[in-house]
Amino acid sequence: MYISKLSVRNFRNFKSCSLQFQRGVNTLIGENGSGKSNLLYALRLLIDENLPRRTYFSETDFNRSIGLWKAHWIIIQLQFDELDSDEELQAIAMHKVGHVEEMDITKGTVLLCCRPRESVRKKLFEFSEIPTKKKEGLDEILSKITLDDYEITYRGRNNVDFSDDDNYREYVGDFDKMIFPNPDDESSDIYGVRLSNFSISNEVSCTFVKALRDVEADLKSYRDNPLLNLLRGKEKSISVAKKADIEKKIEVLNQDISGLDEVKNVSAGISESIKEAVGETYAPNISIQSELPADIEKLLQSLKLWVGDPDEEGYQGRIWELSLGGANLIYLSLKLLEYEKVKVLEKVANFLLIEEPEAHIHTHIQKTIFQRLDKRNTQVIISTHSTHISSVSQISSVNILSRSNQNALVFSPSNGLDKKEVTKVERYLDAVRSNLLFAKGVILVEGDAEQILLPELVKAVYGISLDEVGISLVNIGSTGFENIARLFDDLRIQKHCSILTDWDKSILPLPSDEKKDTPIEKDCRNSQKSGQERKEKLDKFIKDNDWIDVYYAKHTFEVDFLLAGNSHEIVETIKKEYKTESKWKEIETALQDEDVAVSGTEILRLANKFKKGWFALMVSENINHLTYIPDYIIEAIAFASPHINNKTLLSMVRHRLRKLQELKIDSDKTDYSKLLAEILKLKNPDESVTAYCKAMENDAVTKLANHLK
């Protein structure tokens, strides 16, 4: 038995979501605040017997995007697969699939529902039956609803996914059209059967390992200390003779401590002081007694872990002497051992929920813990924002959470892909590339030169980094973009992905007859053919997919960077490499030639001479705010980041104007100080950005803003 699906409606930052799970290890990945902890808590509400049996919801538990929470429902649903024939579990088994009278006792559902009581639902239905109903009437009913008018029930065997908007409107209510169902017509196939004497948490084991943020405090706690959880009940297995012997020794030890002269003297001093203060009549009798617990259960609770670093053989100290990572590793190990202890109870299923295990634990340990988790007869669900853990996760068992406006989104990156396609994706997603799973937008590039120069260009020209706007720049290391780009789709990850690649149009004029090609012309022609084939292939690949677009350098990245107006940056680079002025002057003349056959050949010669990646690194040292970003790259940035708003653009504007104040070319007569002052006087970012774009029509920020519209 395992959880195959979790559906959530109106709970915290989830308006509606549905997650698919597999047997074994599953991973929830996402940025901070995306709702990973909320989903684990939603799971625990149904399967963790360690949570209070009485569940409460507050107004803040309702998703904010629905507006007024009143009369809305919170619904958390779990679907189980591979149920056995256990009599108890048949309380949640589906006895119908859809509308077909067909038994299927291997699947089951259980849901937690927080909804208005029947009397309130009846009022809503009666109102919806009024032919001349108006919104004011509904508002009046809603205004009188409080949380006291809500009920919380656990139900099984329901056949409807309430995370689906159409189902919610039909079976809960359409608040826009003011139509609500009749509670008298409720069907158990839709809403499920009330589970009055059955709890799924009693039938399964669930161990929850919370995020490792304050391990030291937890290891000192009586309630949360996993060591105490492991020791509880162990006193019953100690023989009576040993118990009596230990308890007798503690009793003698207490007497010896209490009888110490130093202790007696302090006791007498306290007694005398009180008598002097209040007199003999009112002074209480005082003594100091040692109270080491003689009870064996309490003695076991006094046991503490002593630990030592593996590099310090023979030394052990208290837990807080370890590094944070070491303490976290100890805590996590104790929780996993606690899980093994629970697992042997032979419940019908075992669930291990681990929240962000990566805190303060370095890369190799993160990967090792993940890969060594015992998956036998256990379903593991881990939440993380570690690229190292996500890089060793199987894409088919990953759910990606993404923040949106008051409502988190959930994506399944393997949805609709066959096994061969999934394998290709997993092969590419190493710890570096897997950061695209956390990004708001993605740019795929084919080589080191783009990977090195693009971030530097953006930082120098716009004053912000790609990371600041949530864009992951991923070097594919080839032109096989499809292997990764296929992740971005309506069925999978609904985020924008730009592909940057070369069209490889020949920089040399080519003869009409291929047979007359010189060796250099032949190389140019072959590259041009390959570029055209790649373009046709990619254009076909992205057709009808609104989440991917391709942006081409007409020739190559290096040539188009030069032709954008950046010969100065290249010349400043080669000056450091060629000490003879005549030599770099010769190169400068070639680079500034208007004929691309000349300038393009020279820039490619330099890139090949120094190797493209290293040459890009050299050039990056000479990039500044006056460097031009090629238009096709600006378009790619805009497509990958539609989330960039005018506040971010205004930050770029301020950066541009301040830099242009400090350093500008002699022929530029614009008064940037005056323009900056005028921009800063405007009331809001929208007005400021509009004014800037009007004044600076050909500027990099203006071009980006125009493409974002």
Side-chain angles (χ1 to χ4, degrees), residues 31 53 77 113 150 183 235 273 332 382 407 419 661 673:
E31 58 194 302
R53 296 275 40 90
Q77 297 172 267
C113 179
Y150 271 70
E235 75 282 353
S273 177
L332 184 56
I382 295 179
N407 177 33
K419 289 184 178 180
Q661 275 181 257
S673 298

Side-chain angles (χ1 to χ4, degrees), residues 121 220 254 396 409 487 503 553 562:
R121 288 181 277 126
K220 291 179 179 179
N254 277 329
S396 57
L409 304 175
L487 286 172
W503 193 358
L562 173 68

Side-chain angles (χ1 to χ4, degrees), residues 68 99-100 121 139 220 252 370 379 390 433 442-443 525 535 547 604-605 614 657 665:
L68 184 66
H99 298 288
V100 181
R121 288 181 277 126
D139 291 343
K220 291 179 179 179
V252 172
F370 182 86
Q379 187 173 25
S390 59
R433 293 171 182 148
V442 174
I443 299 176
R525 191 184 297 274
K535 185 177 188 303
W547 301 105
L604 290 178
R605 183 189 71 79
W614 187 254
L657 289 175
I665 56 178

Side-chain angles (χ1 to χ4, degrees), residues 26-43:
N26 295 264
T27 313
L28 301 175
I29 69 175
E31 58 194 302
N32 290 330
S34 58
K36 299 185 296 295
S37 298
N38 288 339
L39 284 182
L40 289 182
Y41 184 67
L43 279 168

Side-chain angles (χ1 to χ4, degrees), residues 2-57:
Y2 69 95
I3 298 169
S4 58
K5 186 177 181 180
L6 166 66
S7 297
V8 179
R9 187 82 203 195
N10 296 335
F11 180 59
R12 296 187 178 174
N13 65 325
F14 294 96
K15 180 181 180 182
S16 61
C17 76
S18 182
L19 296 86
Q20 304 292 329
F21 294 115
Q22 309 293 326
R23 298 183 201 84
V25 179
N26 295 264
T27 313
L28 301 175
I29 69 175
E31 58 194 302
N32 290 330
S34 58
K36 299 185 296 295
S37 298
N38 288 339
L39 284 182
L40 289 182
Y41 184 67
L43 279 168
R44 294 180 66 208
L45 285 172
L46 286 165
I47 64 173
D48 191 351
E49 64 178 358
N50 293 310
L51 286 182
R53 296 275 40 90
R54 190 70 184 268
T55 302
Y56 297 94
F57 290 102

Side-chain angles (χ1 to χ4, degrees), residues 69-81:
W69 61 270
K70 298 185 176 187
H72 278 285
W73 299 17
I74 290 176
I75 305 172
I76 301 169
Q77 297 172 267
L78 290 182
Q79 179 175 307
F80 298 94
D81 272 17

Side-chain angles (χ1 to χ4, degrees), residues 226-291:
L227 177 60
L228 295 186
N229 290 337
L230 291 169
L231 292 170
R232 286 190 177 100
K234 293 297 182 185
E235 75 282 353
K236 296 175 183 176
S237 64
I238 299 174
S239 69
V240 175
K242 286 186 177 179
K243 281 185 183 179
D245 186 39
I246 292 172
E247 289 172 354
K248 180 64 177 176
K249 289 178 179 177
I250 295 296
E251 184 180 338
V252 172
L253 184 58
N254 277 329
Q255 291 172 359
D256 288 346
I257 294 173
S258 301
L260 289 172
D261 290 340
E262 290 82 359
V263 175
K264 287 182 177 180
N265 290 338
V266 172
S267 176
I270 295 173
S271 181
E272 190 63 31
S273 177
I274 292 176
K275 288 177 182 179
E276 289 180 1
V278 299
E280 292 281 352
T281 303
Y282 295 103
N285 294 320
I286 296 293
S287 67
I288 298 175
Q289 300 290 333
S290 174
E291 292 187 354

Side-chain angles (χ1 to χ4, degrees), residues 466-707:
L466 290 174
D467 288 330
E468 287 178 66
V469 289
I471 296 178
S472 283
L473 183 73
V474 180
N475 181 0
I476 298 300
S478 69
T479 55
F481 296 103
E482 296 91 337
N483 294 317
I484 291 294
R486 67 178 77 254
L487 286 172
F488 303 94
D489 185 270
D490 281 333
L491 295 175
R492 291 178 285 279
I493 303 176
Q494 296 175 17
K495 297 179 182 180
H496 285 83
C497 172
S498 295
I499 296 174
L500 281 177
T501 189
D502 298 337
W503 193 358
D504 282 323
K505 297 287 283 186
S506 176
I507 57 174
L508 300 178
L510 300 176
S512 56
D513 186 357
E514 292 185 29
K515 295 179 181 179
K516 296 180 180 180
D517 284 349
T518 65
I520 296 177
E521 290 171 343
K522 185 176 182 179
D523 288 342
C524 287
R525 191 184 297 274
N526 289 337
S527 294
Q528 181 169 282
K529 285 181 179 179
S530 297
Q532 182 60 31
E533 289 171 1
R534 180 166 60 254
K535 185 177 188 303
E536 291 173 0
K537 183 181 177 182
L538 284 172
D539 288 346
K540 182 179 179 181
F541 173 73
I542 69 168
K543 186 179 180 183
D544 301 324
N545 187 337
D546 294 335
W547 301 105
I548 313 173
D549 207 351
V550 187
Y551 300 89
Y552 300 95
K554 182 179 179 181
H555 303 288
T556 68
F557 171 67
E558 292 81 8
V559 172
D560 285 54
F561 176 76
L562 173 68
L563 295 181
N566 296 316
S567 62
H568 172 78
E569 285 78 0
I570 310 298
V571 171
E572 290 301 308
T573 299
I574 59 147
K575 280 182 180 180
K576 299 175 183 178
E577 302 300 324
Y578 293 94
K579 304 303 180 183
T580 306
E581 183 177 353
S582 60
K583 182 60 179 175
W584 64 255
K585 281 285 188 182
E586 177 187 334
I587 295 173
E588 179 180 26
T589 301
L591 289 173
Q592 293 177 346
D593 197 300
E594 293 184 0
D595 186 354
V596 70
V598 177
S599 58
T601 299
E602 183 61 19
I603 188 66
L604 290 178
R605 183 189 71 79
L606 291 170
N608 291 327
K609 172 181 171 59
F610 295 104
K611 303 305 179 186
K612 288 190 174 184
W614 187 254
F615 185 62
L617 193 61
M618 293 160 55
V619 173
S620 68
E621 297 177 1
N622 296 294
I623 285 175
N624 58 40
H625 66 284
L626 296 175
T627 303
Y628 292 100
I629 302 178
D631 287 346
Y632 79 101
I633 293 178
I634 293 178
E635 292 176 32
I637 294 171
F639 180 80
S641 50
H643 55 278
I644 290 180
N645 56 31
N646 279 336
K647 288 183 179 179
T648 303
L649 289 174
L650 180 55
S651 175
M652 298 180 190
V653 165
R654 292 191 185 112
H655 165 79
R656 296 288 292 158
L657 289 175
R658 284 168 181 153
K659 284 294 182 180
L660 288 168
Q661 275 181 257
E662 297 170 10
L663 177 66
K664 63 178 183 177
I665 56 178
D666 295 336
S667 59
D668 188 354
K669 304 302 180 184
T670 306
D671 188 342
Y672 293 111
S673 298
K674 180 180 178 182
L675 181 57
L676 177 59
E678 291 173 352
I679 294 293
L680 295 177
K681 283 181 182 178
L682 296 174
K683 295 181 179 179
N684 60 59
D686 296 353
E687 293 179 0
S688 299
V689 172
T690 299
Y692 182 83
C693 292
K694 187 175 180 180
M696 305 281 287
E697 292 184 358
N698 295 314
D699 185 72
V701 174
T702 302
K703 290 180 179 180
L704 180 63
N706 289 338
H707 287 299

